[in-house]
Amino acid sequence: MRTQVGIVGGGPAGLLLSHLLHLRGIESVVVEARSRQYVEDRVRAGVLEQGTADLLTETGVGDRLKREGMVHYGVELRFGGRGHRIDFKESAGGRAIVVYPQNKVVADLFDARLAAGGRIFFEADDVSVHDFGDASAQARPKIRFRASGQPQEIECDFIAGCDGFHGICRPSIPGGALTVFERIYPFGWLGILAEAPPSSDELIYAYHERGFALLSMRSPEISRLYIQCTPDEDISKWPDDRIWQELHTRLATADGKWKLTEGPIVQKGVTGMRSFVVEPMQYGRLFLAGDAAHIVPPTGAKGLNLAASDVLVLSRALAEFYASGRKDLIENYSKTCLRRIWKAQRFSWWMTSMLHLFDADNAFDRRRQIAELDYVTSSRAASQTLAENYVGLPMEPVN
Ligand code: FAS
Ligand code: PHB
């Protein structure tokens, strides 16, 4: 089979890329290792930057987002038993975030792609990529896989590696061609989904001597909550009442007036934390996008949003190539994306470093963190810094 762009991975990056290419009249085929239901059921991101929400709306996949997305113009930092609101209207020029789960983002994109006749292979096995190293016009990159037990081959002009951190595309690039930049954190997040109305209208990031906690949400009926834990925490040692107890402790206010509403926990899991970037994000006619190229600690709520900005850059570059033969945007894809990626890496590292317990015995670090939180919540300049990064920095100018 032949197509213009072969896309490995049917998560947010792969599906959004296929959608954006379709809008520009460019054919693609998505090869996804899992079933549609599995991809939609995976509990992942919850926060869209203003730019991501605008992109989905402007490209025709934002109807449910407009109906169900919860627009937030602020976020709370809670420390020393007191809450401090960062006001986006005041500090981020009125830009906001939209709380809308990744599950629904991918479901909306699946619906749009399939309604438009998009080709998606689900439950593909033994996926491999070939002949992508030659950037010349004679190149004939290929994706090989098995679907329903039958061998398949897609010959294409370009391959987009949107197969996440554990995918096959990045490792298929010859050794020595990529440089890895990585930091692994000495903690993870234990996250729960609970059938409990959120106990706050906005997200709460809490710094506590027992460790970080985050109150987020999925809807007016479903809460999403996290506590810092060890990176290899055994979830079986965390019965529901122990989780709730830890959340009550870490989120409590000194005046005792704020209450956390409990409810049945319907999902729980532990996620490790790392910062990771590969440079460059391309090799010949293979382009990496999203988690295949970079990972951020979720403290800054950037993972899904970076995937969206990568594929927006890539779709524009490919559209220019097909429209006019222009090659510079394709050649500069990685350079253009990395400027915004590294700024998001910095912000995610900064939020993580400010809010998590690294070494409980290091009294200096604890005082320094409290001073940083005090500064961010009492300085207009400092709170503007947090706000403008949190709602999302502008897209990079296309080189
Ligand atoms: P994804 O990993 O989402 O998608 C890759 C797709 O490729 C998957 O569907 C996978 O099945 C498929 N695939 C893998 N190997 C393949 C192969 N060999 N062949 C074909 N297909 C293959 N971000 C936030 O902003 N906030 C959060 O709270 C948050 N929580 C997270 C929790 C967890 C456990 C994880 C792992 C990530 C979390 N993230 C969060 C980040 C996450 O949302 C990613 O940034 C986002 O899913 C990136 O999208 P993709 O790049 O499409 O990668
Ligand atoms: C979430 O709702 O899952 C979420 C929100 C903000 C974060 C991380 C995760 O920083």
Side-chain angles (χ1 to χ4, degrees):
M1 145 188 10
R2 169 126 188 82
T3 190
Q4 289 173 293
V5 182
I7 300 173
V8 181
L15 292 172
L16 182 54
L17 176 61
S18 183
H19 175 62
L20 294 174
L21 292 172
H22 168 69
L23 295 179
R24 290 173 176 265
I26 299 167
E27 261 193 6
S28 64
V29 175
V30 177
V31 178
E32 164 57 45
R34 299 290 189 164
S35 69
R36 170 172 179 173
Q37 196 59 52
Y38 184 96
V39 177
E40 287 186 12
D41 289 349
R42 262 191 317 232
V43 180
R44 289 283 187 83
V47 169
L48 303 183
E49 292 175 347
Q50 178 84 58
T52 306
D54 292 347
L55 177 63
L56 294 172
T57 304
E58 287 157 12
T59 59
V61 287
D63 290 349
R64 183 164 58 157
L65 169 59
K66 279 186 286 194
R67 288 197 311 272
E68 299 178 12
M70 296 177 279
V71 181
H72 287 191
Y73 288 100
V75 67
E76 180 182 322
L77 299 184
R78 190 172 284 185
F79 59 99
R82 285 189 55 228
H84 307 262
R85 185 168 185 267
I86 302 292
D87 183 330
F88 299 154
K89 285 191 175 168
E90 190 182 286
S91 301
R95 288 160 65 81
I97 58 163
V98 182
V99 177
Y100 189 70
Q102 180 170 320
N103 315 70
K104 291 183 179 176
V105 172
V106 293
D108 296 342
L109 287 165
F110 276 135
D111 285 346
R113 290 305 300 126
L114 296 174
R119 283 182 293 176
I120 305 175
F121 284 93
F122 291 105
E123 297 180 289
D125 293 321
D126 300 332
V127 181
S128 58
V129 289
H130 307 270
D131 307 330
F132 53 82
D134 171 2
S136 77
Q138 288 65 47
R140 286 289 173 272
K142 296 171 193 67
I143 303 173
R144 292 192 184 113
F145 58 99
R146 277 185 315 106
S148 312
Q150 296 303 311
Q152 302 281 349
E153 178 178 279
I154 301 174
E155 186 182 276
C156 40
D157 300 331
F158 302 96
I159 298 177
C162 301
D163 49 348
F165 185 69
H166 300 292
I168 53 100
C169 287
R170 187 179 69 248
S172 299
I173 294 173
L178 300 179
T179 303
V180 170
F181 301 86
E182 187 170 34
R183 169 187 288 268
I184 295 178
Y185 297 89
F187 42 75
W189 279 9
L190 187 160
I192 64 168
L193 271 182
E195 290 172 351
S199 302
S200 169
D201 292 339
E202 294 175 333
L203 274 64
I204 300 173
Y205 287 81
Y207 174 85
H208 190 274
E209 62 190 14
R210 292 179 61 84
F212 169 80
L214 169 61
L215 178 150
S216 184
M217 57 204 74
R218 290 291 179 268
S219 72
E221 298 77 30
I222 302 286
S223 290
R224 175 70 166 158
L225 297 135
Y226 300 91
I227 52 172
Q228 175 182 343
C229 63
T230 61
D232 54 356
E233 194 74 39
D234 179 353
I235 194 74
S236 67
K237 295 200 166 51
W238 284 85
D240 295 3
D241 58 354
R242 182 184 176 195
I243 297 173
W244 285 116
Q245 185 49 51
E246 205 58 48
L247 284 164
H248 284 296
T249 301
R250 299 186 190 188
L251 288 165
T253 52
D255 62 12
K257 290 181 180 167
W258 184 83
K259 294 295 175 219
L260 175 63
T261 305
E262 297 188 11
I265 294 177
V266 294
Q267 188 271 348
K268 60 173 91 169
V270 173
T271 303
M273 306 265 281
R274 75 175 72 228
S275 299
F276 176 92
V277 181
V278 283
E279 291 187 8
M281 295 167 53
Q282 62 192 96
Y283 182 84
R285 287 184 169 237
L286 171 61
F287 298 86
L288 302 177
D291 278 17
H294 42 73
I295 295 285
V296 283
T299 327
K302 291 298 163 211
L304 172 56
N305 296 292
L306 282 179
S309 51
D310 287 351
V311 297
L312 178 59
V313 172
L314 184 54
S315 65
R316 284 173 173 164
L318 291 169
E320 277 302 324
F321 171 79
Y322 282 113
S324 65
R326 196 175 159 191
K327 292 184 181 169
D328 61 317
L329 298 185
I330 284 179
E331 288 158 0
N332 287 329
Y333 161 71
S334 180
K335 186 174 158 216
T336 303
C337 290
L338 284 168
R339 276 196 72 192
R340 192 167 194 272
I341 288 162
W342 275 110
K343 289 173 184 169
Q345 287 284 351
R346 181 210 65 84
F347 176 68
S348 303
W349 164 84
W350 174 69
M351 285 283 279
T352 302
S353 303
M354 179 169 65
L355 287 160
H356 287 76
L357 192 61
F358 279 72
D359 171 358
D361 300 331
N362 189 314
F364 174 85
D365 271 354
R366 317 245 330 113
R367 284 286 190 277
R368 175 189 56 78
Q369 288 175 311
I370 292 166
E372 182 139 40
L373 286 161
D374 184 13
Y375 172 56
V376 167
T377 54
S378 58
S379 153
R380 183 173 172 76
S383 57
Q384 278 180 328
T385 294
L386 189 154
E388 71 173 6
N389 279 278
Y390 196 82
V391 301
L393 295 177
M395 288 298 290
E396 293 298 332
V398 178
N399 294 314

